[in-house]
Amino acid sequence: QVQLVESGGGLVQAGGSLRLSCAASGRTFSSYAMGWFRQTPGKEREFVAAINWIGASTDYADSVKGRFTISRDNAKNTLFLQMNSLKPEDRAVYYCAARLLHIVRAPTEWSYWGQGTQVTVSS
């Protein structure tokens, strides 16, 4: 089992940057694919980015491609999301998630979730 705790959210002006972190417990972090999702009130949780267990394969939603970068440090059991050129529409609660096997985009296919961290982008 994996427990996930996100941090790094906050308020930033449009065009600015934030770096989210997700600390994972357990000794098997490197066995899991990891992902970032986001959700705004009244909307479904949506895929943002994902990375495979070793960091060799990544996937991004079209809305963030070229602006966000997902990475992981298996030695430190930590997942990151570097967010640059932030837009007001990036405002959401951001969640990290973990699953065994390969990357998928459907939130329902992910097994473990953090509690979320709020990102607010002012225009």
Side-chain angles (χ1 to χ4, degrees):
Q1 194 166 358
V2 178
Q3 292 184 331
L4 305 172
V5 179
E6 302 95 336
S7 61
L11 172 64
V12 64
Q13 288 188 333
S17 298
L18 281 176
R19 189 191 197 202
L20 304 184
S21 298
C22 174
S25 66
R27 294 177 293 175
T28 58
F29 174 75
S30 59
S31 300
Y32 290 84
M34 300 296 297
W36 288 100
F37 295 78
R38 66 187 182 187
Q39 190 169 21
T40 54
K43 293 188 176 181
E44 294 185 353
R45 192 166 298 187
E46 67 171 1
F47 170 79
V48 174
I51 189 168
N52 76 336
W53 69 279
I54 200 173
S57 177
T58 57
D59 187 25
Y60 295 92
D62 288 344
S63 59
V64 307
K65 198 173 296 183
R67 300 188 298 121
F68 291 10
T69 303
I70 189 171
S71 61
R72 65 189 298 163
D73 185 339
N74 286 346
K76 296 183 178 180
N77 284 9
T78 305
L79 174 73
F80 303 101
L81 184 68
Q82 178 67 44
M83 305 187 295
N84 298 329
S85 302
L86 282 160
K87 304 175 180 180
E89 52 263 43
D90 294 318
R91 174 182 179 173
V93 177
Y94 283 71
Y95 299 89
C96 69
R99 72 185 305 272
L100 290 174
L101 301 179
H102 52 275
I103 295 170
V104 296
R105 293 191 170 195
T108 55
E109 297 296 318
W110 292 76
S111 303
Y112 304 103
W113 292 89
Q115 84 290 346
T117 185
Q118 176 72 50
V119 171
T120 302
V121 184
S122 63
S123 57

